[in-house]
Amino acid sequence: MGTGEMSESEMLDVVEARITLLEKQILGKRDVPENYTPVSEAISRTSSHLQSAISGREKITAVMKRLSELEKYLNPSNDMLGAADIDAMYQTILLSEPLLRNNVVLLNQIKELEPVLNSEHTKNVPALSKRLEQLALTNLELKDKADDLCGNFRDYIQEYNSVITEISRALVKFDACLTRLEIEAQPKVIDD
């Protein structure tokens, strides 16, 4: 670092000092309520809440990484933009308003669900993934065995049906033969 460059922590200290000074100028000598939270602490808490809410969510993280690039393009003082480009940006933003409002609603839902997302149950998901894989493999093996049994059962049913059909045919033939023999065995009446 050169002599004119400041580290990130030094810059944050300067910004925090400026915020504290502005806060003192705005409040003046008024009595501060007991539950009053200094602006710098509120900003820090909000930042940590946002960081915990977006950690592990790749899409949001990718947008956050490109935020400075987006700000550069949306900055109206950008020398690269002409009046027509600013009007086009304005129209683009207006057209994307429903999407932005929807995103705000979704972010609020994520904020409401944050206790669930950060619960012990969801934190244990990576540890339980091995067990889930084992259960899935066991389930697939059992399904294969059940399919084999069903196939065997179908074969047995078809064989049973063919045996019953043959027995029925044999019984019909036996009944016909028995009826013929009974008719032949009856005494013949001779007419005088």
Side-chain angles (χ1 to χ4, degrees):
M1 259 191 287
T3 56
E5 296 178 17
M6 294 191 330
S7 70
E8 189 173 319
S9 64
E10 290 172 337
M11 284 190 274
L12 287 176
D13 290 340
V14 169
V15 169
E16 186 175 352
R18 289 180 71 188
I19 289 174
T20 305
L21 180 65
L22 283 171
E23 192 173 19
K24 285 180 183 177
Q25 288 177 352
I26 292 171
L27 291 176
K29 298 190 185 244
R30 294 186 211 153
D31 290 332
V32 179
E34 286 183 31
N35 61 352
Y36 176 76
T37 305
V39 173
S40 58
E41 287 180 29
I43 291 172
S44 175
R45 192 173 335 122
T46 303
S47 175
S48 66
H49 285 307
L50 283 172
Q51 288 298 327
S52 66
I54 65 172
S55 66
R57 289 156 183 94
E58 291 79 21
K59 289 182 180 179
I60 296 173
T61 307
V63 169
M64 295 297 278
K65 286 179 182 175
R66 297 194 65 192
L67 199 55
S68 61
E69 184 180 341
L70 289 171
E71 286 176 355
K72 182 179 94 175
Y73 289 120
L74 294 175
N75 187 356
S77 66
N78 191 345
D79 293 336
M80 297 176 2
L81 299 176
D85 290 336
I86 292 174
D87 287 339
M89 269 194 319
Y90 179 72
Q91 291 300 321
T92 302
I93 291 171
L94 285 178
L95 290 173
S96 63
E97 181 183 6
L99 178 65
L100 293 173
R101 289 190 185 278
N102 186 35
N103 287 344
V104 168
V105 169
L106 292 174
L107 283 172
N108 286 334
Q109 288 176 350
I110 288 174
K111 187 176 180 181
E112 290 171 7
L113 295 174
E114 185 177 0
V116 175
L117 294 172
N118 294 331
S119 72
E120 289 299 317
H121 300 295
T122 55
K123 288 180 182 176
N124 290 336
V125 168
L128 296 175
S129 64
K130 289 276 188 191
R131 179 160 168 91
L132 181 62
E133 288 173 11
Q134 290 172 346
L135 289 173
L137 286 174
T138 303
N139 188 28
L140 287 174
E141 289 171 2
L142 289 174
K143 183 188 177 303
D144 290 342
K145 287 180 183 177
D147 289 344
D148 290 343
L149 286 174
C150 286
N152 292 341
F153 185 72
R154 271 188 239 109
D155 293 342
Y156 293 143
I157 292 292
Q158 287 175 352
E159 191 173 325
Y160 171 79
N161 285 339
S162 64
V163 167
I164 293 297
T165 303
E166 290 300 318
I167 290 174
S168 296
R169 286 182 187 155
L171 286 175
V172 167
K173 287 180 182 178
F174 178 71
D175 186 47
C177 184
L178 184 63
T179 303
R180 185 179 48 83
L181 289 175
E182 285 176 347
I183 292 173
E184 290 176 2
Q186 287 182 354
K188 296 188 181 186
V189 178
I190 302 176
D191 286 331
D192 296 310

